[in-house]
Every structure is written in structure tokens, then in C-alpha cells.
Amino acid sequence: MTTTVRSPMPWLIIVSGSLIAMMTFGPRSAMGFFQLPMLSDTGWDRSTFGLAMAIQNLAWGLGQPFFGAMADKYGTGRVLTLSGVLYAVGLTVMAHASSPVWLHIGGGLLVGFAVASGSFGIVLSAFARNVTPEQRSFAFGIGTAAGSAGMFLFAPLSQALISNFGWSDSLVWLGALMLIVPLLAYPLRGNANSGTQSKAQAQQTVAEALREALGHRSYLLLTSGFFVCGFQVAFITAHFPAYLGDIGIDARYAVIAMALIGFFNVIGSLASGFISQRYSKPYFLAFIYVARSVAVTAFLLLPQTPLSVIVFAIVMGLLWLSTVPPTNALVAIMFGTRHLGLLGGLVFLSHQIGSFLGVWMGGYLYDRMGSYDTVWWFGVALGVFAAIVHWPIAERPVDRALPAAA
């Protein structure tokens, strides 16, 4: 008689990593609330702020593979500690920016690298090494939901801080809060060798892993599709509060909308982890992107009222980060966990290139056309494109030759 032993979830790692994801995702998701009060005080235009947020997203993307490789080699805990310090410094520099260049350095480069070294890719790679393949998508869903909770909590928190202390002091307070991250990083101190890999994975070098991934059709399709996710969510994060003001919706609904996106993002992320553990991940991702395009189309064409804003926020919240668990799980299925920080980081780099374009185009086209409509409709078209490229992705490990016997 054989007995099936179920491995327990490593809850200390899951909880610590989830709290870090919540904290590192929270402030950057609330950046849109700082736009109008900052520009009112400084006299800068929306392109200036939009460029800072675009730099932040690009730095996040460019830093993700680098910090992922560092975590794989030197330990996740050390990289997460660096994240907390960079975050505190970046927000403080942003708070005291006397010219656009300091806004771009603090709120752009430093905060971007802080998020890169403490975001989902770093945390989920640690999760993947410490759970079984059967637990992986669900663990990813928990971590992603925690980041979503950060969006839900930091939207009203940021607005309350701005109302009571002003935008500059609020950024300093958020920076001080980020110094909690290094304290939470200790349970995630292992590196790639802490997990269980096959012999082929353990012997694979970084160069071999990159060559294998960049020659893999499904990986390239997944990477191109994740570009769209970044474009859509970054544009809404940075410009939705200002957009609602432009169409005459009371400012309090911007806070309500971003909080609702964060709250339902928690539900959507957990559901995504559950669904993608049981059904086709590529097909599920295609459905998510089509649903986003339908939701945006309906929001733009139907009468825009406070009620429609609330409904749109709920629907987008369910779809917001629901792409993350199946996308990261597909990378782990294709290539294993040995270089997951690096390879997942490259996929996320594509996401952040899309984020850069979404945020920058929003500010640039608004200043020249007086409207966000062009960027909204471009995002709809990209959602259809993403659905198409996810459909043929093969959900299976890469064919990898076993080492020859001595």
C-alpha cells in the first residue's frame, strides 16, 4: 500500500513575502493621487509627471531581470532589504524635488529600482522554490492578491495623508514606512540552490538559460502578450484620477475607484491562482485580455457617471493582476525554478516597456490633444492582440536533453 504525502505550505515564507508584496506595490499604485497637487504647487505639466512615472516603470522593468538574477544567486532576502532602502530614499527625493530632474531621479529611477528589487517577480520566485508544483499557482495567487491588497490600502491612505499633511510630507511618511520591508525579508533569505531542481536545471548556466528561453516560441509569445498588461494597467494607475476630473466626476470617486480596483484585485488574483491551477493557462490569459478590452469599450461608449465608474473599477479590479499567477506559472512550467528570477524578470521587462509607453503616451497625447481617448482605444486594440498571441502557447516543459552519462 502506498501513501500520498501532501507537503504543507511554507506559511512563514508565504506570509512574509505577501506582506512585502503589499508594501512594495502599494505606494507606486497610488502615484496618481500625487499628480494634481504636485503639479499645482510646482507649475509643471502632466508630461513632466507622466515622464517620471514612465521612467519609474521602465526602471522597474530593466531592473527586474538584474535583481531577479541577484536573488537567484545571492538570496532573495538581501535583494528585498535593498528594495526597502531604495524605496525610502526614492520617495524622500521625490518629496523634495526642486526641479523635474529630481522628480525623475527620485520618483522615477530610484522608486522604479526599488519596486524591481521587491516586486512580484522576486517574491514569487522564492515561493516557487519552496512549494510543490501542485501548490505553485495558488501560492502565486496569494502573493499577487497581497500586492492587490496594497493597492486597496494605499489608495485611501495616500489620499488621507495628502489631505492632512500635503503631498510632500506624505511621500516622506510613505518612505519611512518602506523601512519595514527589510525586517520582513529574513524568512526569504534563500537563493536558487535552496529549492529542488532537476540535475539539468542545476547545471544550466545563465547564458544557457537565456539562449534556451529566447529560442522558445511560447516564451516569446508570453513575453509579447505581457507587454499589453503593462500598457493597460500603468496608464490607468497614473492617469485615471485625472481623467475622472476631466469628465466632471467628483474627486472622491477617484479614491473609491482605485480602492475598488485594489479590493477586487485581491479576489481576482486569488481566483486566478485557483483557476490557472486547474485549467489551461494560455486560454485563461486570452480570456482576461479580451474581457479587459470589452470592459474599456463599454466604459467609453456608455454614459460616464459615478455608477459606471464604480462598475468599471470592480470589473477591472477582477482582471487587474489576474494575469500574474498564470504568466509566472507558465515560465516555471517551461523552464523550472533554477533561473525563474531572471527569466520571469525578462517577461516582466516586456510588461514594463508597455507600462512606460502607457504612462508616457497618456501624458504626452493629453498635453497635445486635450484628451486621453486615443490611449484608451489603443489599449483596447492591444487587448485583442494579446488574446491572439496567448492562444497558441504550449503549456509544457521545454525539451531539454539530459546530461550524457560518463
Side-chain angles (χ1 to χ4, degrees):
M1 181 181 298
T2 59
T3 302
T4 301
V5 179
R6 294 176 64 91
S7 299
M9 289 281 279
W11 285 113
L12 179 60
I13 292 174
I14 298 295
V15 171
S16 297
S18 295
L19 289 173
I20 291 172
M22 180 181 71
M23 296 191 66
T24 56
F25 194 75
R28 58 88 41 200
S29 67
M31 287 289 104
F33 295 109
F34 292 89
Q35 179 175 184
L36 295 183
M38 177 186 289
L39 300 187
S40 176
D41 282 355
T42 60
W44 302 330
D45 58 19
R46 295 193 190 187
S47 293
T48 299
F49 185 86
L51 180 58
M53 296 303 101
I55 292 171
Q56 179 190 113
N57 281 284
L58 189 60
W60 181 1
L62 291 172
Q64 188 79 57
F66 174 74
F67 289 116
M70 283 183 61
D72 288 340
K73 184 173 183 178
Y74 298 110
T76 303
R78 293 176 179 175
V79 174
L80 292 174
T81 298
L82 176 63
S83 172
V85 174
L86 285 174
Y87 227 135
V89 174
L91 289 174
T92 302
V93 171
M94 182 179 177
H96 297 97
S98 56
S99 65
V101 68
W102 288 109
L103 171 63
H104 297 153
I105 291 173
L109 281 175
L110 292 178
V111 172
F113 285 139
V115 182
S117 55
S119 69
F120 297 116
I122 306 297
V123 172
L124 298 188
S125 295
F127 286 6
R129 293 193 295 266
N130 289 280
V131 301
T132 65
E134 293 74 25
Q135 298 168 332
R136 193 175 289 152
S137 288
F138 184 61
F140 287 177
I142 294 174
T144 307
S148 308
M151 184 178 185
F152 171 68
L153 294 173
F154 277 81
L157 173 61
S158 298
Q159 188 61 57
L161 287 172
I162 292 170
S163 298
N164 287 280
F165 302 104
W167 66 268
S168 181
D169 287 347
S170 298
L171 288 170
V172 175
W173 279 107
L174 292 178
L177 190 61
M178 292 304 103
L179 294 177
I180 298 175
V181 171
L183 303 178
L184 296 169
Y186 184 75
L188 291 88
R189 61 193 180 277
N191 63 7
N193 293 324
S194 303
T196 302
Q197 301 91 28
S198 70
K199 186 175 181 181
Q201 289 181 44
Q203 291 182 344
Q204 192 180 48
T205 66
V206 170
E208 290 169 343
L210 286 172
R211 187 161 51 247
E212 180 180 68
L214 296 178
H216 192 266
R217 177 172 176 267
S218 290
Y219 179 79
L220 296 178
L221 290 173
L222 185 68
T223 301
S224 65
F226 212 37
F227 166 92
V228 177
C229 180
F231 184 96
Q232 293 172 330
V233 301
F235 166 69
I236 294 175
T237 298
H239 295 286
F240 196 55
Y243 173 77
L244 293 183
D246 292 342
I247 62 175
I249 302 294
D250 191 277
R252 71 178 184 271
Y253 285 99
V255 180
I256 293 171
M258 299 310 290
L260 284 173
I261 288 175
F263 177 77
F264 282 92
N265 198 359
V266 175
I267 299 173
S269 298
L270 289 172
S272 175
F274 180 84
I275 293 170
S276 59
Q277 191 71 58
R278 290 160 176 78
Y279 300 101
S280 167
K281 296 172 184 61
Y283 293 170
F284 181 51
L285 284 165
F287 167 79
I288 291 170
Y289 286 109
V290 168
R292 283 185 183 179
S293 292
V294 171
V296 172
T297 299
F299 178 64
L300 295 177
L301 295 182
L302 295 175
Q304 293 177 315
T305 64
L307 177 60
S308 72
V309 170
I310 290 173
V311 173
F312 175 72
I314 291 172
V315 174
M316 287 303 296
L318 292 172
L319 303 171
W320 194 257
L321 291 180
S322 57
T323 58
V324 174
T327 297
N328 281 274
L330 280 170
V331 178
I333 288 171
M334 292 175 190
F335 306 109
T337 62
R338 176 65 182 86
H339 296 287
L340 184 57
L342 171 64
L343 300 181
L346 286 175
V347 175
F348 201 78
L349 171 58
S350 174
H351 181 284
Q352 292 311 104
I353 293 173
S355 297
F356 174 89
L357 290 175
V359 174
W360 175 77
M361 283 179 64
Y364 179 83
L365 292 179
Y366 180 89
D367 285 339
R368 279 148 186 80
M369 303 177 68
S371 170
Y372 288 115
D373 288 352
T374 301
V375 187
W376 278 115
W377 288 115
F378 188 54
V380 169
L382 285 177
V384 176
F385 163 79
I388 292 172
V389 300
H390 278 89
W391 200 260
I393 290 176
E395 187 177 344
R396 60 174 180 267
V398 64
D399 293 328
R400 184 180 290 154
L402 293 174

